Amino acid sequence: MMMEDGNLAEQLDVTPMDTTTDVTAEIAKEPTLEERIQALITKSRIMLFMKGVPSAPKCGFSRQIVDIIESYDVPYDTFNILTDEEIRQGLKKYSDWPTYPQLYVDGDLIGGLDIVKEMEEGGDLNDLFKGA
């Protein structure tokens, strides 16, 4: 049997794995709050952050904005901000918009109920929802 100098990696002409990096920690890394918010905002083309759910809104503003969106018969998704305080507070900072509901279309903040009502009255909401 022939013996060679050097370690097995050198003998096989391969690069040894760097064991100083904890790969499992990198894989299991939790997303940051900003990453979570961005993922939610882009979850659906039309995304509404509201108090409650469309079938059971927890405030009048949320109920009104759901009624407006549903009158356009467009697909949309919602997130109940009452279920996640970190998202609730973080989204206010992220969007620089202090109140709920908040409507996003194509990842962009449109605004709250007052803005949506103005856009509806001006005829701009249909164009926005239909992607014009």
Side-chain angles (χ1 to χ4, degrees):
M1 178 175 204
M2 183 190 223
M3 298 290 259
E4 292 189 29
D5 292 332
N7 64 31
L8 180 60
E10 290 171 346
Q11 291 176 26
L12 295 175
D13 194 29
V14 295
T15 306
M17 190 169 117
D18 180 6
T19 58
T20 60
T21 304
D22 186 358
V23 176
T24 55
E26 288 296 315
I27 293 171
K29 181 180 162 191
E30 290 292 319
T32 66
L33 177 58
E34 185 169 336
E35 289 169 338
R36 288 178 61 211
I37 289 171
Q38 288 173 344
L40 285 168
I41 288 171
T42 58
K43 180 179 176 187
S44 179
R45 182 174 174 273
I46 301 172
M47 187 69 188
L48 178 64
F49 293 84
M50 62 180 287
K51 293 179 180 176
V53 295
S55 61
K58 297 295 183 189
C59 79
F61 298 123
S62 291
R63 179 179 313 280
Q64 288 179 58
I65 202 166
V66 164
D67 289 345
I68 291 170
I69 295 169
E70 289 189 349
S71 74
Y72 286 88
D73 195 32
V74 292
Y76 72 102
D77 204 348
T78 63
F79 183 82
N80 180 359
I81 54 109
L82 299 177
T83 63
D84 191 324
E85 188 64 21
E86 188 177 32
I87 292 290
R88 181 180 183 175
Q89 297 306 322
L91 188 59
K92 289 179 185 182
K93 292 176 184 162
Y94 179 90
S95 65
D96 198 24
W97 195 268
T99 60
Y100 290 100
Q102 291 184 17
L103 179 66
Y104 287 78
V105 176
D106 294 323
D108 295 323
L109 175 65
I110 303 307
L113 178 62
D114 53 345
I115 303 294
V116 171
K117 279 184 170 181
E118 287 175 20
M119 290 182 76
E120 182 182 35
E121 291 167 6
D124 300 321
L125 201 55
N126 187 55
D127 291 343
L128 180 68
F129 284 165
K130 301 299 181 185

